[in-house]
Amino acid sequence: MVTAGGAPTVETIAERAGVSIASVSRVLNGHGARPETVRRVERAAAEVGYVPNAVARSLKGGRTRQLTFAMQDIGNPVYVAMVRQIQSIAKAEGYRLLLHSTDAVAEDELAVVRSLADRTSDGLILCPIRITPEHIEALRTAARPVVVIGSLPEEERVPVDSVRADSVAGAGLAVRHLAETGRRRIAFVNGPADTVPGRNRHLGYHRALAACGLRADPELVVTTEFTIEAGASAMHRLLDRLTAGGAGTSAGGPGVSAHEPGDPGGPGLDAVFCANDQLALGASQALHSRGLRIPGDVAVVGMDDTVLVRAGWPPLTSVDLGSAERGRIAAEMLLERISGPRAGSGQKAGSGPGSGSVRDPGPPARTRTVTPRLVVRASSAPARPGPDPHAAPAGHDRGEAAS
Amino acid sequence: MVTAGGAPTVETIAERAGVSIASVSRVLNGHGARPETVRRVERAAAEVGYVPNAVARSLKGGRTRQLTFAMQDIGNPVYVAMVRQIQSIAKAEGYRLLLHSTDAVAEDELAVVRSLADRTSDGLILCPIRITPEHIEALRTAARPVVVIGSLPEEERVPVDSVRADSVAGAGLAVRHLAETGRRRIAFVNGPADTVPGRNRHLGYHRALAACGLRADPELVVTTEFTIEAGASAMHRLLDRLTAGGAGTSAGGPGVSAHEPGDPGGPGLDAVFCANDQLALGASQALHSRGLRIPGDVAVVGMDDTVLVRAGWPPLTSVDLGSAERGRIAAEMLLERISGPRAGSGQKAGSGPGSGSVRDPGPPARTRTVTPRLVVRASSAPARPGPDPHAAPAGHDRGEAAS
DNA sequence: CTGAAAGCGCTAACAG
DNA sequence: CTGTTAGCGCTTTCAG
């Protein structure tokens, strides 16, 4: 029953109800009107199935009620966890969510930040792979509020909010847990060393090793990509290297003490900490395919606590770096920037020459850090108990939080 | 260096370049102008860092260059696969992607369809859980093109394009593969029976069983939710039931032939086909925890061929129902509707009384069905070979396509 | 309380 | 080739 030729507009309703378009607008936005007017407008609107044109509304109001979330690849479970939270909060606040995969192309990330100027979105949550000087500049001049999930160089004082994980502490949690459950030769399968997570997790691993009085053996560390396949081959490489008695790969290192743990002729390591769950899953598979038992022979710990931990066998102990929580916090911070208390009145800003700048910066940028949490499951149970942990009864893997 | 107080507009540039706003618009849209004019406008635009206001543009043009994708829960890998494709195509065509999780609330799905009337998006790709009469009505009167991923009741002649998977054939592929590799007692762990996938996969299972000359034993079928945990407990239930010698659950059924395959006292089944990968992973875990070997004692086959198949151990044989391809096709169909050949001029439409309808329906609705593909991995290798398939060398799970 | 009218920023007729 | 002008649909002064 829609008026032929185009969707109904305020004018359609005004004519039908015999009032002005201004009254229609007022009634529809609950700005008060005579009961009789309200009745007639509402009736007319219902009859024609009127739906306000959101675009026109945005043009007038300057807000689109859209948020953008940009990350490398939605295929990564960590981002999926974030999207879920962000979408849920956005929805609850009446915002739509625009998704943007950058495929890890820095140029694309920049484009997303710059495109905020096109007024399509009221704010952006960005997960950058690497922060370049161009990023800093783009963030500085962003046309809309931005929240970065990741680490921003502190000395740059980039004026955007951010939420970060504590990879260093997280890696420490994993290593300490392994050491406390009796593991002595803890290997480390890391992601690319030139990424922030890669660097931090490596640092955390080393620090915790030292804190636990364990020797850091370079033979036990291997670096690769953040994928299941890479994890598997990295683990194979590690095992080859260790059982070969320090033959090829390591140049000047002393012979590998391949027989230290458990039975002689063992794998030369009794635990492996992996920089994310994909790597841990790959490592598990490599161990399985060589007939090594988890956690009997080798304990495995992953990181990020994604949905994947319950997919592997045995269920994977993992360090939850708070993906979901970071997503939630980022969304909250962003919404606060968008509609929260305008202008930081509590401070006499240094008011340099460029006072009338592009956008009211509001309160100073905040950085929040999410505390990691170790979730213990079967893959890191102490080696002692039952002869075949593979036959452990189900229900054994209920996650348990630790400091 | 932006003009203080608001972003630059065509007017800002017009003044700066000493031309009219019309010329600015023309130059910016490549509609030809005197070289001198072009130069001046471009220079002015660059100087002020002009970015066109997409909202204003949309209001004028009636298109937003935004697409919406709505599904139950982005946590499901099947949807992740679709999103990736859709996002990638959308991006290539200059469209943004709006994501919408309905949390399986039918009311929410309807709201998404109806909200197309607010002009926020140029088209919608919808993955409905169930099609109600309200859905039909909403789709019929949708204000923008919609493509449904899933099955639409044919007799209703809903005027929207759709892409569907062939679950029936897919289930058949799985069962036939198991039968051909020597399995005789093929169990089936299904999802909810009141869903389209649940019904179809069940149908496919039965048909294939019959085609292979295997007896359909109700004791071998169990129904539950589509999750890993549910898969594990369903598998446990199945094993309890079968090894208990047909004690409680089944009322009038004859005793279970629990000793048919392999060694006496075996599990009473030698294969299990699961209606999706999550269920298959759960089933694998249950089997492991009971000391049963995969595929030595029991072969496992999943469905959807999600990223999860490589997470489990051994890698899971799975039926690829073409999630990614369905996403791709849906996106292509939608874009074709949006900007493709307008109006179906090749046909003298029956032109009933309601000729001047809401929206030009364009060419008649099309339905495309994606052909399933079996991807064989280690979890369904024949039982004969090596005594311990767990120790199979890596690299054994390269996916292989079959009819 | 209500109507007339002015724009939000842009594009596209329509004259010159 | 260029400038003037009329809207896209809505919200919001400003009078009445």
Side-chain angles (χ1 to χ4, degrees):
Chain A
M1 296 304 135
V2 176
T3 310
T9 72
V10 277
E11 195 171 352
T12 317
I13 297 178
E15 283 170 6
R16 222 181 153 92
V19 299
S20 73
I21 61 169
S23 288
V24 173
S25 176
R26 282 189 208 103
V27 171
L28 263 25
N29 292 302
H31 287 194
R34 192 171 27 148
E36 167 65 7
T37 309
V38 173
R39 212 183 49 71
R40 296 172 64 172
V41 170
E42 282 176 345
R43 206 167 82 92
E47 280 173 359
V48 301
Y50 173 75
V51 177
N53 180 323
V55 176
R57 209 172 240 182
S58 293
L59 179 58
K60 187 100 252 274
R63 327 274 270 353
T64 55
R65 302 208 72 91
Q66 291 190 162
L67 262 32
T68 302
F69 178 57
M71 39 55 224
Q72 310 183 36
D73 171 22
I74 187 63
N76 186 330
V78 168
Y79 295 127
V80 172
M82 291 178 180
V83 172
R84 290 182 79 176
Q85 293 296 317
I86 297 171
Q87 139 90 44
S88 147
I89 291 178
K91 186 178 182 176
E93 299 290 325
Y95 282 80
R96 278 166 251 118
L97 213 220
L98 234 25
L99 205 68
H100 206 111
S101 285
T102 61
D103 299 318
V105 178
E107 195 47 60
D108 230 45
E109 284 180 7
L110 292 174
V112 174
V113 179
R114 298 202 180 109
S115 78
L116 281 170
D118 78 3
R119 263 56 186 169
T120 277
S121 157
D122 293 344
L124 166 70
I125 295 176
L126 176 70
C127 294
I129 350 146
R130 243 181 294 284
I131 308 276
T132 65
E134 284 85 19
H135 278 78
I136 308 271
E137 179 55 20
L139 290 173
R140 224 183 267 293
T141 58
R144 288 273 184 271
V146 178
V147 174
V148 166
I149 295 185
S151 296
L152 244 26
E154 246 173 89
E155 63 286 5
E156 296 282 359
R157 306 201 157 283
V158 191
V160 305
D161 296 323
S162 63
V163 200
R164 53 183 295 272
D166 191 345
S167 289
V168 180
L173 242 33
V175 172
R176 214 164 308 129
H177 162 67
L178 289 168
E180 282 167 2
T181 49
R183 310 289 173 168
R184 287 291 165 267
R185 296 275 297 165
I186 305 172
F188 179 38
V189 178
N190 197 10
D194 61 344
T195 60
V196 175
R199 254 195 311 279
N200 287 340
R201 290 164 203 196
H202 193 249
L203 180 61
Y205 166 76
H206 271 295
R207 281 199 191 152
L209 232 40
C212 295
L214 293 175
R215 190 172 65 86
D217 181 353
E219 292 275 330
L220 287 174
V221 178
V222 66
T223 283
T224 185
E225 296 300 309
F226 276 127
T227 67
I228 296 181
E229 288 73 16
S233 55
M235 191 71 223
H236 276 299
R237 228 181 313 146
L238 206 48
L239 291 167
D240 287 343
R241 179 198 292 175
L242 293 171
T243 52
T249 42
S250 106
V256 179
S257 53
H259 303 198
E260 212 163 318
D263 50 338
L269 84 185
D270 55 7
V272 56
F273 163 52
C274 303
N276 81 0
D277 289 339
Q278 279 94 324
L279 289 173
L281 245 18
S284 300
Q285 297 179 357
L287 289 166
H288 275 123
S289 74
R290 292 201 171 206
L292 292 167
R293 287 159 311 158
I294 303 171
D297 297 313
V298 180
V300 177
V301 173
M303 193 163 227
D304 284 335
D305 199 44
T306 60
V307 289
L308 297 175
V309 297
R310 346 207 85 225
W313 187 262
L316 221 53
T317 290
S318 190
V319 178
D320 180 4
L321 254 22
S323 324
E325 200 184 349
R326 278 178 283 159
R328 180 179 61 72
I329 293 175
E332 288 171 354
M333 283 176 127
L334 184 57
L335 287 171
E336 205 172 306
R337 278 282 166 198
I338 291 173
S339 50
R342 282 267 150 253
S345 52
Q347 41 172 357
K348 304 186 180 188
S351 70
S355 241
S357 83
V358 187
R359 176 168 58 83
D360 176 358
R366 287 189 308 164
T367 292
R368 291 199 37 188
T369 300
V370 173
T371 306
R373 218 170 50 97
L374 177 71
V375 184
V376 179
R377 298 197 182 81
S379 73
S380 68
R384 302 302 129 86
D388 184 9
H390 282 77
H396 194 74
D397 72 318
R398 285 279 153 256
E400 221 179 289
S403 125
Chain B
M1 299 306 134
V2 177
T3 310
T9 71
V10 275
E11 197 172 349
T12 318
I13 297 178
E15 284 170 6
R16 220 181 155 91
V19 298
S20 73
I21 60 169
S23 287
V24 174
S25 177
R26 281 191 207 102
V27 171
L28 262 26
N29 293 301
H31 286 194
R34 191 174 26 154
E36 167 66 7
T37 309
V38 173
R39 211 183 49 72
R40 298 172 64 171
V41 170
E42 282 176 344
R43 204 165 83 92
E47 279 172 0
V48 301
Y50 173 76
V51 177
N53 181 324
V55 176
R57 208 172 241 182
S58 293
L59 180 59
K60 185 101 254 274
R63 329 271 274 353
T64 56
R65 301 206 74 90
Q66 291 190 162
L67 263 31
T68 302
F69 178 56
M71 36 66 222
Q72 312 183 34
D73 171 23
I74 187 64
N76 186 329
V78 168
Y79 296 127
V80 172
M82 291 178 180
V83 172
R84 291 182 80 175
Q85 293 295 318
I86 297 172
Q87 139 90 44
S88 145
I89 292 179
K91 186 178 183 176
E93 298 291 325
Y95 282 80
R96 277 164 253 121
L97 213 218
L98 234 23
L99 204 69
H100 205 110
S101 284
T102 61
D103 299 318
V105 177
E107 194 47 58
D108 229 47
E109 283 179 10
L110 293 174
V112 175
V113 179
R114 299 203 179 108
S115 78
L116 281 170
D118 77 3
R119 262 60 185 165
T120 276
S121 155
D122 293 344
L124 167 70
I125 296 176
L126 177 70
C127 294
I129 352 147
R130 242 182 294 286
I131 308 278
T132 66
E134 283 84 20
H135 278 78
I136 309 272
E137 179 56 20
L139 289 173
R140 224 184 266 294
T141 58
R144 287 272 183 271
V146 178
V147 174
V148 167
I149 296 186
S151 295
L152 246 24
E154 248 175 86
E155 63 287 5
E156 297 281 0
R157 306 200 156 284
V158 191
V160 305
D161 296 324
S162 63
V163 200
R164 51 182 297 272
D166 191 345
S167 290
V168 179
L173 243 35
V175 172
R176 212 165 309 129
H177 163 65
L178 289 168
E180 283 167 0
T181 48
R183 310 290 172 167
R184 286 294 165 264
R185 298 273 298 164
I186 304 172
F188 178 39
V189 178
N190 197 11
D194 61 343
T195 59
V196 175
R199 253 196 311 280
N200 287 340
R201 289 164 204 197
H202 193 249
L203 181 62
Y205 167 75
H206 271 295
R207 282 200 189 151
L209 232 39
C212 295
L214 293 176
R215 189 171 67 86
D217 181 351
E219 291 276 330
L220 287 174
V221 178
V222 66
T223 282
T224 185
E225 296 300 310
F226 277 127
T227 66
I228 295 181
E229 288 74 16
S233 54
M235 192 70 221
H236 276 298
R237 230 182 311 147
L238 206 49
L239 291 167
D240 288 341
R241 180 199 290 175
L242 292 171
T243 51
T249 42
S250 110
V256 179
S257 54
H259 303 199
E260 213 164 318
D263 50 340
L269 84 184
D270 55 8
V272 56
F273 163 52
C274 302
N276 81 1
D277 289 339
Q278 279 93 326
L279 289 173
L281 245 16
S284 299
Q285 296 178 357
L287 289 166
H288 276 122
S289 74
R290 293 202 171 207
L292 292 166
R293 288 158 310 159
I294 303 171
D297 298 313
V298 180
V300 177
V301 173
M303 192 162 228
D304 284 337
D305 199 44
T306 60
V307 288
L308 298 175
V309 299
R310 346 207 86 227
W313 187 262
L316 222 52
T317 290
S318 189
V319 178
D320 181 3
L321 254 23
S323 323
E325 199 183 350
R326 279 178 282 157
R328 181 179 60 70
I329 293 175
E332 288 171 355
M333 282 177 127
L334 184 57
L335 286 170
E336 205 173 306
R337 277 283 166 198
I338 290 174
S339 49
R342 283 267 151 250
S345 53
Q347 41 175 353
K348 304 184 180 187
S351 70
S355 240
S357 84
V358 187
R359 178 168 57 83
D360 177 357
R366 287 189 308 163
T367 292
R368 290 198 39 186
T369 301
V370 172
T371 307
R373 220 170 49 99
L374 178 71
V375 184
V376 180
R377 298 197 182 81
S379 73
S380 69
R384 300 302 130 87
D388 184 10
H390 283 77
H396 193 74
D397 72 318
R398 285 277 155 255
E400 222 179 287
S403 132

